[in-house]
Amino acid sequence: MTAPVLVIGIGNPFRSDDRAGLEVARRIKRSTNDCFDVLEFASNPMALLDTWKGYDEVLLVDAVSSNSKPGTFQIINAVEQKISASLFNTSTHNMSVAEAIELARNLGRLPKQLLVYGIEGKNFQFGETLSPYMNGVIEDVVCHILSRIP
């Protein structure tokens, strides 16, 4: 049996669309698929370096603000390309996800494969409700991740 893939859903459960990554993680967990280890991550992105230690493949899911159409998503191969810090400009932490990934790259601590799923949000204000268009894109991301199973 191959090692599980680590899925990390990042977000703040109290900042509306910023909870999108957490919701993806919850839905992946409910799929009861043993090909994935799933974590909900709401702490400092610097801790990611220890969180993914020992995993060859990591799928990181977070809400982004890139001026794309809200409710869409993009996939970035973070091993092959640098992540723009402006993608994660809604971070509520001292260090953004992009900065943590680039620090890991500089320290030689990236996993062999790191895909970042960026879900375009619109509302990052305080609140526990996702924007209406987010449910569809969250389900699309879940399906895309589950389709990676051989």
Side-chain angles (χ1 to χ4, degrees), residues 15-127:
R15 302 281 302 237
S16 298
D17 291 349
D18 195 35
R19 67 185 297 122
L22 300 175
E23 184 60 32
V24 168
R26 289 175 188 148
R27 292 182 190 188
I28 297 286
K29 277 184 192 177
R30 287 194 301 258
S31 76
T32 63
N33 189 304
D34 61 359
C35 292
F36 299 107
D37 285 344
V38 183
L39 295 173
E40 294 178 38
F41 192 88
S43 68
N44 187 330
M46 179 70 179
L48 287 169
L49 281 68
D50 290 326
T51 301
W52 63 45
K53 186 176 181 179
Y55 287 91
D56 288 338
E57 185 174 356
V58 177
L59 309 176
L60 191 149
V61 185
D62 196 7
V64 298
S65 179
S66 67
N67 295 320
S68 293
K69 181 180 174 186
T72 59
F73 76 95
Q74 58 184 303
I75 304 169
I76 302 165
N77 184 330
V79 173
E80 294 179 1
Q81 69 185 79
K82 186 175 178 175
I83 305 290
S84 170
S86 65
L87 195 61
F88 296 96
N89 63 9
T90 60
S91 176
T92 58
H93 300 291
N94 292 333
M95 175 180 271
S96 74
V97 170
E99 291 168 323
I101 290 170
E102 292 313 309
L103 177 61
R105 182 188 319 282
N106 291 332
L107 295 174
R109 293 182 58 188
L110 281 179
K112 290 180 183 173
Q113 185 169 9
L114 175 60
L115 296 181
V116 176
Y117 287 75
I119 300 174
E120 188 72 25
K122 182 173 184 176
N123 179 12
F124 293 94
Q125 301 301 313
F126 288 106

